[in-house]
Amino acid sequence: MRRWSTSCFILVIVFALILCAACSNDNDDPSTGSGQTDDDNDDATPDDDMVDDDATPDDDITDDDTVDDDTVDDDTVDDDTAPPLPDYDTEFEGYGADATGGAGGETATVTSLSDDGPGTLRQILNDATGPLIVEFDVDGVIELQHVLDIPSDVTIDARGRDVTISDNGFRIQEKENIILMNLAFVDISGETGDSIQIADDSRDIVIFHCRFDSTGLMPFIPDVPDEQISIIWGSGDITISWCRFSNHDKVLLFGNGDAPQSIDENIRVTLHHNLFENTGRRHPFMRYGKVDLYNNIIRNWQRYLDKTYGTRSQNQGEILAERNWYEQSNPLFLLGAYYQWGGKIKQVENIRTNDWIVLMENKPDEVFTRPYTANIHEPTQAWYDMMETHTGNTMPAP
C-alpha cells in the first residue's frame, strides 16, 4: 500500500478546516448538466450536422454560431437562439411587482447636487405631500451629510442620468410603495452604514438597475461599512433586480437576528438578474423569511477564509435558487451556497464554473413554491455577456 506524503495529508486537513470555518462563522451582527460527447463515429459521412446523430432532435441544420461552443453536444441548450435582451421595462416582476411608486402624482426635478436647499433631492422629498415622481436635471455626486429618509408613494427616477449617492445612504422605515431606478450608491459609511436600509414592515418596494460600490473604502475594517442593502424587522414584498454589487464585504442582509421569527418570517424578497463581483459574503444572508433567487451572477466572492461564501440560509429561512451562475477561480473560497441552524435551500439548474464549488441543499421539499410568473433565462454565455454589459445604472432616458 502506498503511503500518503506528509504534504498531501496537510492539504486534506487544510481543505476540511476551511469548509468547517466557513460554515460556522459570519454571526457578527445583532452543475452544470453533463453532456454526452459526440465522438463523430456514428455518421456514415463526416459530421457536419446535416445528419442528426443525437438522441434529442438537433435543430442546428446549419450551425450559425460565430464560435461553435458545442464541443460537447448534448442539445440540452440550444446555443443558436438569439441572445437575451436587457430589461429596461418598468413592468416589474417578483414580490415587489405591485409597487407603483409615485405614479399619478406630481413630478419634481432635482436641479442641485447639494445636500439640502432649493432644488435638492432632500428638500424635494421632505416637501412631498402625496405621490411623487422625482427626476434629475443634473449629473454628478450627491454627498449626503446624513441619512436620507424616503417617504411612501415615491419614484426616484434617474434614467438617462449619471447620479451617485455618497457618504450616507437611504432609509426606508415604515413606508410603502417606493421605486428606485438607475442610481449609484458609492462609498456609503455614514449613520446606518447601509447604502439602503429597509425596516419596520416597509413593503412594496423595487430597486431596479442600481449600482453599489465601495472601492474608495477598501481596504476597510470588517463591519464598516455595513450592508449595501439590509431588509429587517418584517419588511417584505421587495424586488431587487438588474443591479450590480461590487467591492464590498457584507452585501445583502435579510433579517438581522434582532426581530423574532414571528416578525421576520414576513420578509419576502425577489433577487433576479443581479451581478455580484469582488464581494465577500451575503448574496444574500437570509434569516426566517423567503428569497427567490434566480438568474444572478455571483463571482469571485472573497475576503476572509473563515467567513466568505456566496449564499446562506439560516433560522428557517428559505431560499429558492434557480439558474444562477456561481463563478469562482480560487478553491480556497469554495462555498457557493450553504445553510445553518435550520436554513432551507432548494437548488434548481444552477451553473458552477468549477466542480469543486459547493452548493448545499437542505429540505428542498419545504422551500416555498414561486407564487408568480418569472421570466427566467437559460444561463448561457450570451446571457452572461448581456448581464456583464447591462446590469447596474445603465438605463437610457425614457
Side-chain angles (χ1 to χ4, degrees):
M1 180 180 299
R2 180 179 299 172
R3 291 173 175 246
W4 278 24
S5 69
T6 301
S7 59
C8 289
F9 181 76
I10 290 173
L11 283 174
V12 170
I13 294 299
V14 169
F15 183 85
L17 287 173
I18 290 169
L19 183 57
C20 290
C23 292
S24 62
N25 285 305
D26 187 29
N27 292 306
D28 48 328
D29 51 13
S31 308
T32 63
S34 58
Q36 202 170 22
T37 302
D38 183 356
D39 59 7
D40 297 334
N41 292 324
D42 46 1
D43 290 335
T45 58
D47 187 1
D48 58 359
D49 285 336
M50 300 297 289
V51 178
D52 183 3
D53 54 17
D54 293 326
T56 304
D58 189 342
D59 55 359
D60 291 339
I61 305 273
T62 302
D63 187 357
D64 58 2
D65 286 340
T66 305
V67 177
D68 186 358
D69 46 7
D70 280 337
T71 305
V72 178
D73 186 3
D74 58 1
D75 289 302
T76 311
V77 178
D78 182 0
D79 50 37
D80 286 336
T81 57
L85 298 175
D87 182 10
Y88 295 124
D89 189 349
T90 53
E91 293 294 327
F92 307 114
E93 64 184 73
Y95 282 122
D98 289 340
T100 58
E106 296 182 353
T107 297
T109 302
V110 175
T111 58
S112 171
L113 296 173
S114 297
D115 170 71
D116 203 354
T120 64
L121 178 60
R122 187 182 299 278
Q123 181 164 315
I124 287 171
L125 293 177
N126 288 343
D127 292 345
T129 58
L132 179 68
I133 298 173
V134 180
E135 298 177 345
F136 293 82
D137 195 31
V138 289
D139 297 316
V141 179
I142 300 175
E143 298 178 355
L144 294 177
Q145 300 305 303
H146 53 93
V147 69
L148 181 59
D149 288 301
I150 311 300
S152 295
D153 303 316
V154 163
T155 298
I156 301 179
D157 180 359
R159 286 180 291 176
R161 311 300 308 202
D162 184 7
V163 177
T164 296
I165 307 299
S166 182
D167 293 354
N168 278 274
F170 289 1
R171 179 169 56 200
I172 301 171
Q173 191 169 20
E174 292 186 275
K175 298 297 186 290
E176 61 185 14
N177 194 28
I178 294 167
I179 298 172
L180 307 177
M181 292 193 294
N182 208 57
L183 294 163
F185 295 83
V186 176
D187 295 346
I188 305 295
S189 61
E191 295 169 20
T192 66
D194 298 334
S195 296
I196 301 175
Q197 184 184 91
I198 304 172
D200 298 329
D201 197 33
S202 295
R203 314 205 76 75
D204 297 325
I205 297 166
V206 169
I207 302 171
F208 187 53
H209 272 286
C210 290
R211 178 172 64 88
F212 300 82
D213 189 279
S214 298
T215 301
L217 298 175
M218 295 174 62
F220 47 77
I221 301 171
D223 305 329
V224 182
D226 210 6
E227 278 76 34
Q228 290 182 317
I229 301 175
S230 64
I231 299 174
I232 56 178
W233 285 95
S235 299
D237 296 332
I238 297 167
T239 293
I240 303 169
S241 60
W242 294 90
C243 293
R244 194 176 191 118
F245 300 85
S246 56
N247 304 308
H248 196 91
D249 177 24
K250 299 183 299 182
V251 185
L252 303 176
L253 176 65
F254 303 158
N256 65 357
D258 292 342
Q261 180 174 354
S262 60
I263 291 178
D264 274 354
E265 67 185 5
N266 295 311
I267 295 175
R268 300 189 303 180
V269 183
T270 300
L271 283 173
H272 74 86
H273 293 88
N274 301 290
L275 193 155
F276 303 86
E277 58 182 346
N278 191 29
T279 47
R281 46 187 160 152
R282 304 185 177 181
H283 317 81
F285 178 3
M286 176 76 256
R287 289 186 179 100
Y288 296 125
K290 298 178 176 65
V291 175
D292 190 4
L293 183 75
Y294 60 88
N295 272 160
N296 300 281
I297 297 173
I298 305 173
R299 72 182 181 207
N300 290 330
W301 54 96
Q302 54 185 307
R303 292 282 180 265
Y304 315 106
L305 285 180
D306 62 336
K307 294 180 180 179
T308 292
Y309 58 85
T311 302
R312 172 180 174 182
S313 180
Q314 181 176 305
N315 299 103
Q316 309 306 314
E318 300 176 31
I319 296 178
L320 174 59
E322 183 171 359
R323 290 190 174 183
N324 300 288
W325 184 294
Y326 288 85
E327 179 177 346
Q328 180 58 268
S329 57
N330 189 340
L332 291 176
F333 304 118
L334 75 168
L335 204 52
Y338 84 104
Y339 66 91
Q340 190 177 35
W341 303 341
K344 304 171 185 178
I345 304 180
K346 182 176 182 178
Q347 306 284 0
V348 182
E349 298 180 357
N350 293 293
I351 294 292
R352 298 176 300 155
T353 58
N354 281 293
D355 289 341
W356 43 258
I357 296 173
V358 176
L359 299 182
M360 293 185 182
E361 189 172 62
N362 189 47
K363 299 181 179 179
D365 294 340
E366 297 181 18
V367 171
F368 66 94
T369 300
R370 185 177 293 116
Y372 46 79
T373 300
N375 179 28
I376 303 180
H377 290 110
E378 191 77 36
T380 62
Q381 186 63 51
W383 167 84
Y384 182 98
D385 294 341
M386 179 271 296
M387 291 280 290
E388 183 74 64
T389 302
H390 294 286
T391 51
N393 56 331
T394 61
M395 298 184 76

